[in-house]
Amino acid sequence: MTPAKAPLSTYRVQFNKDFRFLDCRDIVPYLHALGIGALYSSPRFRARRGSEHGYDVASPLRVNSELGTDEEFDDLCMKLHHYGLGLILDIVPNHMAASHENPWWIDVLENGPSSPYAHYFDIDWNPVISKSAVLQEGKIVLPVLGDLYGNVLDRGEISLGIDETGFFLRYYERKLPLDPATWGPLLTAWIERIQRDAKKKREPKAAIERIRRLVQAIPPRTSTNPEEVSRRLRDAFTAQKQAFLLFRDHFDARMAIEAVLREFSEDKLQMHALLEAQGYRLAFWKIAYEEINYRRFFDINDLVCIRVEEEDVFAARHQIILELLAEGKVTGLRVDHVDGLFDPETYLNRLQTAAGQATGESPVYLVVEKILGRDEQLPPDWPTSGTTGYDFLSAVNDLLIDNAGLRDLETVYAEFTGEIETFADVCYERNKQVIWQLFTAEAHALGHHLGQLAAEDWLARDVPMSELLAALVEITACLPIYRTYIRNDQVGQHDRAYIQRAMAMARKRTTDAEIGDPAFEFLHRVLLLEPPSDDPQQREEYLRFIMHWQQFSGPVMAKGLEDTAGYVHNSLISRNEVGSDPLRNHPPLDIPGFHRYMEQRVQLRPYSMNSTSTHDTKRSEDVRARLHVLSEIPGEWQKHLLRWRRLNQRFHAPVKGLRVPAPEEEVLLYQTLLGSWPLDPAEEEGFTYRVIDFLLKAAR
């Protein structure tokens, strides 16, 4: 597949408030002189205020004003075109910001299932978790509080306000809407406050009465009847407008409602009753791991996933992107976090078709952010030019490591730390850790779904739910890749092999007393789409479960491998990079192996990006290159490692009964210093604070 306008080389820029469209426009001649074929840009759409990266998109229909105006973006595009450079735009189809700056999200919080955007977001309106089911039936859990709900309420940290959107809640910097159908107590108190002062005119009271009658007749937010939904949205908008105008234009009314809002904010019983009436539940941020009922980007509560597999959601999310392609301002796309999508192949086909219709050229240059295992390839039917290059990065990393010396480094590390586990063992353990610590709610939801499927299978109906969930967790933790891509009733050869391998490893890592064979046998039938009967509906249910599980396994591997195991097993930290092999059951590539890898790459995806560093990599190329040298001098490394331990013995301190830093953290510190020590002595003072910040983040 030869894409239109495939660039020979790209140069990535990260837009933010300190590097805007016009700043980038000024460096275009320099990029041209470098021989760059296309600018590779971070997202340009409106993000949360102050965002440094732009991946927390709040509106896909507006340009990010902190980066510049539409006209300034056009100026950049004209300059690029003048110098013959293309523009590859990073797009984020999987998630959006869960904030008051996102009008779609705020509409859902206000109107619940009645919102026209309710199906845009991946929300479980009827969660199965026992405690929260009582609290949040038909509600969204918002884990945004810094303390237990009762403590926050007692301290009066939640207040009320009014603006052009009507009445709202304020919790520090967060602003949340109030369902107009729940305004009754506020409006009643407003009327009573007006009546208390005989000097007040009657006009405000009559106006408030009209608003109260209007909101009393608003249909419930649980209604999905088109006529009732339309009436709800219309009357809610009218009530919001009338309340604000009365507040803005009438002094007596404004004084009265400000007093009412203060009283409600200070009365925890009234405030609690008002909060209970909303379509969301304010909650302590720590309960998100167990009780959250919307799909997040990884474990980030402020990033809510969208259902871009729905055609109208796809159209709304990509409207401006397609316009930019049609106008020739954008010449290619980079798709962020493709593994988070429900059906990546369908999405990519839809995107290529829409882009081709917009540009008259097919296919457009399209690359995906995808981390591949050591021997994994992109699904051959994906209409994409390739990946953003993590796989190439991993291959180059391997090429610069001495295999024999690496084995010696592993021995040195084991002797120094007392840890004899392989990296694959550590990855497995950390995958399980993040499932239970970060993704408990998602795991239990999948387990409940699995239990429903088991109830319909006479061979599995008596298998305990605890064993079904435990088996699912084990298989997920043992998966050697981020996810499989089963999307219909045909399980591909590679997907089947990965699942069977994970199941075999899971069985080896557990005992019959922990998980019986019937649980694994049932999972085998489900994950390989082999129901006991030929019932099409049962196969469809199995497939639906698999596709949700596939969305779950990717974040587990990302957090377990990249963000946990990669900071725990530190024999050579330059290998602990995004895109690295999670199993490491093969030695690094030698020179002939690298050439074979590149020959295959040219044959399969010749237009794939070849990156040695990205905005997501843990360490820069020069840091990794310095550290690779340790594999050539393992004896020197061991000698200095032991010497530094002796010298620094007196700086160790006990923290909660643990020796800090632990041996593996001490190795991490020394290798970090070796890899990044400044060449310019003038930079050494600031370097200390950078290392402290890094170690704190790494320890977390």
Side-chain angles (χ1 to χ4, degrees):
M1 182 179 77
T2 303
K5 301 177 181 176
L8 181 63
S9 59
T10 60
Y11 189 101
R12 189 182 187 279
V13 295
Q14 176 64 60
F15 288 122
N16 55 48
K17 59 183 175 55
D18 298 318
F19 187 79
R20 295 158 54 90
F21 298 143
L22 294 185
D23 299 315
C24 187
R25 182 195 63 183
D26 294 340
I27 69 168
V28 171
Y30 167 70
L31 300 182
H32 172 70
L34 284 179
I36 300 300
L39 186 74
Y40 170 18
S41 119
S42 62
R44 57 146 263 170
F45 297 106
R46 191 176 83 187
R48 284 186 296 192
R49 190 172 293 108
S51 174
E52 291 293 322
H53 48 76
Y55 291 90
D56 44 358
V57 174
S59 173
L61 304 179
R62 300 283 183 270
V63 71
N64 189 344
S65 60
E66 294 187 348
L67 311 182
T69 64
D70 280 307
E71 292 74 20
E72 289 169 343
F73 181 78
D74 291 348
D75 285 347
L76 169 61
C77 295
M78 289 177 61
K79 191 73 168 283
L80 290 168
H81 181 74
H82 176 75
Y83 278 88
L85 272 70
L87 174 58
I88 297 171
L89 181 65
D90 201 342
I91 63 173
V92 190
N94 177 67
H95 56 269
M96 297 182 71
S99 78
H100 64 271
E101 295 161 303
N102 182 343
W104 295 351
W105 180 243
I106 289 300
D107 197 282
V108 175
L109 295 182
E110 179 180 313
N111 296 296
S114 289
S115 169
Y117 306 107
H119 71 289
Y120 278 38
F121 300 101
D122 210 342
I123 301 167
D124 182 1
W125 294 98
N126 306 108
V128 299
I129 304 164
S130 57
K131 184 186 78 158
S132 61
V134 178
L135 296 174
Q136 63 201 49
E137 189 75 19
K139 294 189 176 190
I140 300 173
V141 178
L142 292 184
V144 298
L145 303 181
D147 197 355
L148 298 177
Y149 170 78
N151 294 340
V152 170
L153 209 57
D154 278 341
R155 290 194 294 264
E157 294 175 1
I158 303 172
S159 60
L160 292 168
I162 183 172
D163 63 9
E164 66 276 5
T165 65
F167 295 109
F168 63 86
L169 293 169
R170 175 75 69 183
Y171 177 66
Y172 293 100
E173 76 281 359
R174 295 183 184 273
K175 177 185 173 187
L176 299 166
L178 284 181
D179 177 357
T182 69
W183 287 5
L186 290 172
L187 297 173
T188 298
W190 196 358
I191 292 171
E192 291 173 352
R193 172 69 66 164
I194 290 283
Q195 288 175 325
R196 246 180 252 171
D197 192 339
K199 296 178 182 178
K200 302 269 192 299
K201 298 179 181 179
R202 297 182 58 186
E203 290 86 348
K205 177 185 174 184
I208 301 168
E209 284 282 12
R210 287 193 295 272
I211 297 172
R212 184 164 67 171
R213 288 194 297 271
L214 184 63
V215 301
Q216 285 174 342
I218 290 178
R221 62 176 174 269
T222 54
S223 175
T224 55
N225 177 279
E227 184 178 335
E228 290 187 343
V229 167
S230 177
R231 182 156 57 89
R232 174 185 171 82
L233 298 177
R234 182 192 66 231
D235 292 353
F237 176 78
T238 302
Q240 291 164 333
K241 182 178 179 182
Q242 291 180 0
F244 175 67
L245 291 177
L246 187 61
F247 166 81
R248 188 192 68 182
D249 298 336
H250 200 291
F251 178 79
D252 292 336
R254 182 164 64 253
M255 292 299 100
I257 191 57
E258 285 180 346
V260 167
L261 295 179
R262 281 196 302 272
E263 290 173 2
F264 263 74
S265 298
E266 295 167 0
D267 188 327
K268 61 187 177 185
L269 293 179
Q270 289 193 101
M271 181 64 82
H272 173 64
L274 187 61
L275 288 169
E276 287 290 273
Q278 302 312 308
Y280 50 85
R281 170 193 161 203
L282 294 182
F284 186 25
W285 67 269
K286 287 187 177 181
I287 75 161
Y289 306 134
E290 294 186 8
E291 300 187 23
I292 200 162
N293 64 331
Y294 60 85
R295 190 167 62 88
R296 305 163 291 172
F297 174 69
F298 295 170
D299 61 331
I300 303 174
N301 299 335
D302 286 338
L303 294 177
V304 56
C305 291
I306 60 175
R307 302 180 68 233
V308 75
E309 63 270 16
E310 300 293 331
E311 291 190 19
D312 59 334
V313 181
F314 176 91
R317 181 65 188 83
H318 294 80
Q319 176 186 332
I320 304 302
I321 294 169
L322 295 174
E323 289 178 6
L324 294 172
L325 284 167
E327 294 165 358
K329 297 172 183 175
V330 169
T331 57
L333 299 173
R334 181 260 195 193
V335 177
D336 180 69
H337 190 45
V338 72
D339 275 349
L341 303 180
F342 185 69
D343 184 354
E345 184 174 328
T346 295
Y347 168 80
L348 293 171
N349 277 314
R350 185 174 288 162
L351 182 57
Q352 278 286 11
T353 299
Q357 292 172 347
T359 62
E361 300 173 336
S362 184
V364 300
Y365 184 70
L366 176 65
V367 290
V368 295
E369 186 205 28
K370 165 64 188 165
I371 296 175
L372 297 168
R374 172 72 176 256
D375 299 316
E376 184 185 11
Q377 296 292 337
L378 280 181
D381 293 333
W382 282 15
T384 173
S385 297
T387 71
T388 53
Y390 293 124
D391 39 350
F392 178 79
L393 182 156
S394 181
V396 172
N397 235 21
D398 274 4
L399 188 62
L400 300 178
I401 294 173
D402 182 87
N403 289 349
L406 178 62
R407 291 192 295 271
D408 291 339
L409 289 179
E410 293 284 356
T411 301
V412 170
Y413 181 74
E415 292 174 352
F416 186 86
T417 63
E419 296 290 337
I420 59 173
E421 290 183 310
T422 65
F423 190 89
D425 290 333
V426 172
C427 185
Y428 157 76
E429 291 169 355
R430 298 306 175 167
N431 284 348
K432 287 181 65 176
Q433 177 187 2
V434 300
I435 289 174
W436 292 125
Q437 291 189 2
L438 304 183
F439 302 115
T440 309
E442 293 87 343
H444 279 289
L446 284 169
H448 180 77
H449 191 178
L450 196 60
Q452 291 177 322
L453 298 180
E456 299 170 2
D457 185 330
W458 62 274
L459 290 170
R461 64 194 308 174
D462 290 338
V463 177
M465 274 288 298
S466 59
E467 290 192 22
L468 291 175
L469 179 56
L472 181 66
V473 168
E474 290 290 336
I475 292 168
T476 305
C478 290
L479 200 65
I481 55 173
Y482 278 62
R483 62 165 285 176
T484 53
Y485 298 97
I486 301 168
R487 56 188 296 272
N488 52 40
D489 60 1
Q490 299 298 317
V491 179
Q493 176 183 352
H494 294 294
D495 288 337
R496 179 179 295 276
Y498 289 131
I499 291 173
Q500 288 177 331
R501 184 195 182 283
M503 295 187 73
M505 290 300 299
R507 179 71 283 181
K508 285 182 180 179
R509 291 184 181 274
T510 55
T511 66
D512 290 341
E514 296 169 318
I515 306 172
D517 286 340
F520 280 114
E521 289 165 0
F522 176 64
L523 261 297
H524 184 278
R525 293 196 294 276
V526 172
L527 295 179
L528 295 179
L529 276 175
E530 297 173 355
S533 70
D534 292 330
D535 182 2
Q537 184 175 354
Q538 193 172 31
R539 291 181 69 86
E540 187 64 31
E541 280 297 309
Y542 280 21
L543 179 60
R544 189 163 69 89
F545 172 83
I546 291 170
M547 295 185 76
H548 284 300
W549 171 68
Q550 290 176 149
Q551 285 183 294
F552 172 69
S553 68
V556 168
M557 180 68 88
K559 297 301 295 183
L561 169 62
E562 298 172 34
D563 292 350
T564 312
Y567 291 94
V568 172
H569 189 92
N570 298 313
S571 56
L572 182 61
I573 63 174
S574 53
R575 293 197 81 195
N576 298 351
E577 192 51 85
V578 181
S580 65
D581 179 10
L583 298 181
R584 303 194 184 170
N585 52 4
H586 299 295
L589 291 176
D590 55 15
I591 292 176
F594 179 80
H595 283 301
R596 288 193 297 272
Y597 164 80
M598 291 303 297
E599 288 168 357
Q600 185 181 52
R601 189 172 182 81
V602 169
Q603 180 182 359
L604 297 178
R605 302 281 180 178
Y607 298 99
S608 188
M609 283 187 173
N610 296 324
S611 305
T612 50
S613 186
T614 78
H615 58 286
D616 284 324
T617 44
K618 309 295 185 183
R619 297 169 182 86
S620 64
E621 295 130 312
D622 55 336
V623 171
R624 297 197 307 267
R626 283 197 202 179
L627 291 174
H628 290 331
V629 176
L630 294 180
S631 68
E632 301 175 33
I633 51 171
E636 284 291 303
W637 162 245
Q638 182 180 32
K639 181 174 68 176
H640 284 78
L641 180 62
L642 296 175
R643 177 171 179 265
W644 293 332
R645 181 170 66 178
R646 288 195 302 272
L647 290 173
N648 293 317
Q649 188 70 30
R650 58 197 173 99
F651 296 113
H652 285 279
V655 177
K656 296 181 179 179
L658 299 176
R659 179 179 181 269
V660 175
E664 60 269 20
E665 294 165 340
E666 196 171 350
V667 175
L668 174 66
L669 168 60
Y670 297 148
Q671 290 198 11
T672 299
L673 294 174
L674 278 176
S676 56
W677 193 275
L679 298 178
D680 183 352
E683 297 177 0
E684 290 181 10
E685 183 178 354
F687 176 71
T688 302
Y689 300 103
R690 290 174 56 201
V691 172
I692 291 172
D693 289 342
F694 165 77
L695 289 173
L696 180 61
K697 182 177 181 180
R700 284 173 174 164

